[in-house]
Amino acid sequence: MTGSVVLIHLAGAVALMLYATRLVKTGVERAYGDVLRHKLRATLQNPIMAVLAGTGLAIALQSSTAVTLLVGSFAGAGIVSGLAGQLAVRGAEIGSALVAKLLTYDLTLLVPLCLIIGTFLFMATESRDWRQKGRILVGVGLLILSLEMIGQASEPLRESPLMPMIINYFSGDPITAYLLAALITWLFQSSIASVLLMATMAGRGLITPELGVVLVLGVNLGSSIIAPMLTRNSEPGVRIVPVGNLLMRGMGSIVMLVLVMTFKPQIGFLGATASDQIVNAHILFNVIILIAGLPLAGLVYRASEKIVALGAKQAAEPVQVTELSALSETALSSPPQALANATREVVRVCETVEIMLKRIIELYENADEDKINALAALDDRVDERHAAIKIYLAKLIRNPLTEDQALRCQELIGACVKLEQVGDIIVRNMLVHVRKKMALNLEFTPEGWQEITAFHSAVLANARLTFNVLVSRDTETARQLVQEKDRLRDMEREASNSHFLRLRDGTLKSIETSSIHLDTLRDLKQINSLLTSIVYPVLEERGLLRGSRLRAS
């Protein structure tokens, strides 16, 4: 087998591992994301529980970076303290390392079982929850299979005369090896994938344990860079936790590299095999960073604040940019171009409405007048753009249009009207609930809040799909949205029934928040109905809609 063929097989196996990791991560987020976020918010106030919550969440999501971004967003919204967020991320690194350890065991029997059961669950039901569970099982099966493929693909490399030379070079130049591992991890966007790749190759005798330890330190540097890079344009509060992780974990890996290069410690105690030694070195490093991070958490947090504040100060005077409109008057003589311009402008309205819908639930937990006024200002922007789009399309209709062009005009006008109505519900109804909750200092029960956040997450996910259909006009997604409307109606009924049961039991918080709870569910249900109706023209055009119901296919 030629070297190029070996590399193609190895690259394919690595690609499958990255895809499988993402499959598991997205499946867990869709099936259990709301519950995990709710539990995380509730436990981050206690330092020990913050570490344990971060560990558990990283195991579930198969990604410490995902936990870092999630906790960073909580800290930026004021839901948790930045200090608690730092501790949760420390726990997440431990959880990520434990996942890598688990996947080094012989789990080959799980491959066919996971693929069979996962595929059956995904294809045999239309239930969203069961389909996501199937997705998770298929992802786990493919992940284990990819590790076997990496081992088989790398086997011919043992016979290559170049491998000893490459290994000797990197063993003699640990700094280059360290930086290369950091680069690979940043490209993979996953420390788990990088550690598993190195452990598998070490198990085949392609990497020495001593070099593997250096590579593991590089993996931790690369992993700590990912979140700060992804949040570099976010608000300062969101960036503090990722920057703190970079300071602690990134700087810790550099210190450890210097110590390893200076003292050249024996690593036989880390395990009986080379692959065990590499994975255990990864776990040990993150345990050391956790132990060191507990007393240093306050110092690291203050340093992170100063670094973020310094970057914010340098960007405090941005170049003033005039907001441009896509509604060019000169394009009105060309209906296709004018419709494209109007579509672009409607998409901008969609983006604003999505921001409003995302922020309103955050205000239920942590509201102040500045945030409330900022959200109300977004509704003013929606109203202005809505008026401009209607006037623009009214002018376009005066020109000769084909039937399809005239229908598209009506579709865009209808979408704008519904988007404005969604903005009005958020500002005139839901913001009123926020003010009442804030003024009376009310709190939902844990069960009630979980019901509201789960319902909100489903509506937000449907909103994003709706905005995609507005551009893509994809029939299958439009059908899915109409089916989701029925599911959310049932979901709202179940949540209301659960609330009434708590009222019957005399739960004080349920009694105090009853009207806010029920009105919020009703408002979210109405928002979902308005957004779903935006996709009706796509289904009507193909004869797939009868009234507001799907025709049998």
Side-chain angles (χ1 to χ4, degrees), residues 422 425-426 430 459 523-531:
V422 169
I425 292 172
I426 292 173
M430 299 183 75
V459 173
D523 292 335
L524 288 172
K525 177 185 172 185
Q526 187 177 356
I527 287 172
N528 187 75
S529 297
L530 285 168
L531 293 173

Side-chain angles (χ1 to χ4, degrees), residues 89-132:
V89 171
R90 297 277 63 76
E93 306 299 354
I94 299 290
S96 175
L98 291 176
V99 170
K101 177 65 176 178
L102 177 64
L103 291 171
T104 59
Y105 291 112
D106 185 6
L107 303 172
T108 51
L109 183 60
L110 289 179
V111 174
L113 292 177
C114 287
L115 292 178
I116 292 170
I117 298 173
T119 302
F120 174 78
L121 291 177
F122 190 85
M123 299 185 67
T125 177
E126 291 298 321
S127 169
R128 182 177 181 180
D129 290 343
W130 282 106
R131 286 172 68 89
Q132 297 312 319

Side-chain angles (χ1 to χ4, degrees), residues 354 357-358 457-470 477 481 531:
E354 181 179 344
L357 189 55
K358 184 173 181 293
S457 295
V459 173
L460 183 59
N462 288 346
R464 290 167 176 159
L465 290 177
T466 298
F467 302 154
N468 290 342
V469 173
L470 191 60
T477 305
L481 282 165
L531 293 173

